[in-house]
Amino acid sequence: MANRRDFLKGASLLTLGTLAACNANGGAAAKQPAAPGSKYIGLQTYTLGGELYNDTANVIKKLAEGGYTGFELAGYNPQARGFRSFGQDAATIPAGDFKKMCDDAGITIVSSHLTPNNLERGAKYDASTKDTILEYWKTVIEDHKTFGVEAIVQPSLPSINNKEDALNVCEVFNAVGELLGQNGIKFGYHNHSNEFNKVIPGGEAVTPYYQRGFRRPDDDTPEPETIEKVFIENTDPSKVFFEMDCYWTVMGQQDPVAWMKQYPSRIKMLHVKDFVVIGDSGAMNWENIFTQHYANGNKYWFVEIEGTNSGHQLEYALESAKYLLAHDFA
């Protein structure tokens, strides 16, 4: 079986569309770069790791000067009611102070990533834990109203072993979406690659993503479905939307554009992620991805870069902004 890197390149070249008219940076040839701040460019602040907290106001200012106009937050702590810096001597930046730093720099806080942390490790999402999960979400609402976010997104997959588990998660997600919606905040879910594992009813284990569902003619077991499909097709569109991480979708051997075409009204936000700096690998066809995202009537997307301990995350984020400013499709 081909490794994930080989698949990523193949998927971008073959299923996301030809790169014949593209340059070596994985997109249409760049024109004169747009001026920083002249178009929307979002950043998931997880990208910065501890670098965000070395000199927070100045880092946010540099990001704005480099072209970022929107943030999706990471690191909010409901117990501390603020943002914790990395390290043993964790200081807290109060929510209001963080919001002011963003306002002063001209950056809009669009959304926030949060996962309930008040469950026992490995606990299922079902009727027995729903109230506990909802209690967590109640603790984050006030400050996120202060931030003025449009959405809160859960970025981690609950424990799932079969289709019944996935359907139980859908019921909890609907309840969370209803609670946040009553407070003027949309609820979304963000995938990694494990959402493209397959599940069947009846207590069977998750089928690994690379088992493509080949079946013998006499096989009468249910056709496995990806967790992501179960989530999308069994949550209420008025209560739950989806944020697709394009990189992790392809790492799960799926085509982001195909998913956006199949579920144009459900996938509302994107994570724009490459091996490191956006556009450097040439493996992701960002033109096709952005084109479909906008064709579906969507606006928001966020650069995210892994490797938060590199010490170069701010540098990588600014280089990514340069690429996005230089290409009309973004």
Side-chain angles (χ1 to χ4, degrees):
M1 186 186 75
N3 64 33
R4 289 188 180 189
R5 185 182 181 95
D6 291 339
F7 176 83
L8 178 60
K9 290 182 177 179
S12 297
L13 289 167
L14 299 175
T15 65
L16 296 186
T18 179
L19 293 179
C22 298
N23 66 10
N25 285 329
K31 298 180 180 179
Q32 183 68 27
S38 62
K39 64 179 183 179
Y40 171 83
I41 300 181
L43 179 72
Q44 163 54 249
T45 62
Y46 169 82
T47 292
L48 300 170
E51 292 181 51
L52 177 60
Y53 300 98
N54 291 336
D55 184 0
T56 303
N58 194 43
V59 169
I60 292 174
K61 181 180 178 182
K62 287 180 179 178
L63 290 165
E65 291 171 346
Y68 288 99
T69 61
F71 276 173
E72 181 174 70
L73 304 178
Y76 173 78
N77 183 298
Q79 288 74 40
R81 295 200 61 186
F83 294 84
R84 287 287 182 91
S85 63
F86 288 59
Q88 293 181 345
D89 299 326
T92 299
I93 300 174
D97 292 353
F98 193 91
K99 173 70 161 57
K100 185 177 186 305
M101 293 176 193
C102 293
D103 288 345
D104 289 347
I107 289 181
T108 300
I109 300 175
V110 176
S111 58
S112 181
H113 269 201
L114 293 167
T115 296
N117 60 5
N118 61 342
L119 295 177
E120 293 184 9
R121 187 175 182 86
K124 298 280 189 182
Y125 277 42
D126 57 24
S128 70
T129 58
K130 183 172 74 171
D131 288 346
T132 301
I133 292 166
L134 291 175
E135 283 303 314
Y136 168 84
W137 289 107
K138 290 175 184 177
T139 68
V140 309
I141 288 172
E142 184 177 347
D143 281 337
H144 282 78
K145 284 184 175 180
T146 298
F147 295 142
V149 297
E150 293 191 22
I152 297 177
V153 179
Q154 177 166 331
S156 60
L157 180 66
S159 177
I160 291 177
N161 292 315
N162 50 55
K163 187 173 181 180
E164 289 84 357
D165 285 347
L167 291 172
N168 286 335
V169 171
C170 293
E171 289 299 314
V172 174
F173 281 176
N174 284 337
V176 175
E178 182 173 0
L179 171 67
L180 294 184
Q182 290 169 350
N183 288 275
I185 300 172
K186 299 172 185 176
F187 175 67
Y189 181 77
H190 166 281
N191 69 278
H192 292 82
S193 60
N194 287 340
E195 285 77 6
F196 303 105
N197 290 349
K198 293 184 175 182
V199 288
I200 62 174
E204 297 289 337
V206 169
T207 304
Y209 74 92
Y210 51 80
Q211 295 182 17
R212 309 311 297 169
F214 297 114
R215 299 160 63 79
R216 294 171 50 181
D218 60 350
D219 187 350
D220 60 358
T221 60
E223 181 70 34
E225 295 178 282
T226 64
I227 294 171
E228 185 79 353
K229 180 179 179 181
V230 174
F231 281 0
I232 292 176
E233 295 187 353
N234 293 278
T235 50
D236 186 334
S238 70
K239 298 175 181 176
V240 183
F241 76 91
F242 290 82
E243 177 180 67
M244 175 154 280
D245 188 307
C246 298
Y247 173 85
W248 284 117
T249 297
V250 180
M251 292 295 274
Q253 300 199 9
Q254 302 286 317
D255 178 351
V257 172
W259 280 82
M260 286 189 278
K261 287 180 176 179
Q262 185 173 359
Y263 300 107
S265 65
R266 302 303 307 278
I267 298 171
K268 297 291 191 180
M269 295 181 178
L270 300 180
H271 269 201
V272 172
K273 183 184 299 179
D274 213 323
F275 292 119
V276 184
V277 174
I278 307 304
D280 268 8
S281 73
M284 298 288 288
N285 192 323
W286 292 119
E287 183 169 13
N288 284 11
I289 290 170
F290 276 105
T291 298
Q292 189 62 49
H293 184 59
Y294 292 136
N296 288 352
N298 300 317
K299 174 180 179 180
Y300 294 121
W301 49 270
F302 307 95
V303 170
E304 184 183 37
I305 301 168
E306 305 287 355
T308 54
N309 295 321
S310 72
H312 299 283
Q313 295 301 110
L314 177 59
E315 172 191 341
Y316 297 154
L318 293 174
E319 286 299 312
S320 295
K322 288 180 182 178
Y323 170 80
L324 295 162
L325 286 168
H327 290 81
D328 290 342
F329 56 74

